[in-house]
Amino acid sequence: MAYHAGGKTQTAPAQRLQDFVNNKLSPALPGVSYQPGITSAPLHELLPPEIGKRLQLGFIEFEKKMRGYLSNDAVIVGVESRTSSPIRIPRNNNTLQHRK
């Protein structure tokens, strides 16, 4: 099933970090600086399982090194991807290094 968090508003899907790690939908989100805003979404379900689980484990490990990182105030915002870039880097076909 497709999930469209923002619809036509360009709001970004987001989740409180603790909720993401605990596989729970965030009932409410704090304000963020992203101007179109954020919408609560189950990022733990939207990401491929192998990626979501590794992120969860990584956040738990990072909390051990930096106490307070994994808090209810921390928010993760959905991933943005691009399929193309306006920048072209000419490369040597053999060495793959930048051609000047």
Side-chain angles (χ1 to χ4, degrees), residues 1-15 25 29 34 36-43 46 76-79:
M1 176 172 100
Y3 182 86
H4 303 284
K8 296 181 182 186
T9 65
Q10 295 187 345
T11 58
Q15 192 171 18
L25 182 64
L29 297 169
Y34 178 64
I38 55 176
T39 300
S40 183
L43 296 177
L46 299 177
I76 56 173
V77 180
V79 221

Side-chain angles (χ1 to χ4, degrees), residues 72-90:
N72 213 26
D73 293 327
V75 175
I76 56 173
V77 180
V79 221
E80 176 182 342
S81 65
R82 294 183 61 114
T83 56
S84 65
S85 171
I87 298 171
R88 298 272 183 220
I89 300 173

Side-chain angles (χ1 to χ4, degrees), residues 6-43:
K8 296 181 182 186
T9 65
Q10 295 187 345
T11 58
Q15 192 171 18
R16 289 182 185 266
L17 187 55
Q18 281 185 338
D19 291 340
F20 175 75
V21 168
N22 293 311
N23 296 317
K24 293 176 19 183
L25 182 64
S26 300
L29 297 169
V32 295
S33 60
Y34 178 64
Q35 285 305 306
I38 55 176
T39 300
S40 183
L43 296 177

Side-chain angles (χ1 to χ4, degrees), residues 37-85:
I38 55 176
T39 300
S40 183
L43 296 177
H44 61 279
E45 293 176 6
L46 299 177
L47 292 169
E50 62 276 5
I51 293 173
K53 192 63 179 167
R54 286 182 185 242
L55 283 171
Q56 289 171 329
L57 294 172
F59 291 138
I60 291 167
E61 284 301 311
F62 198 75
E63 169 66 19
K64 293 175 185 175
K65 295 174 174 56
M66 184 180 217
R67 292 273 182 228
Y69 180 81
L70 185 56
S71 77
N72 213 26
D73 293 327
V75 175
I76 56 173
V77 180
V79 221
E80 176 182 342
S81 65
R82 294 183 61 114
T83 56
S84 65
S85 171

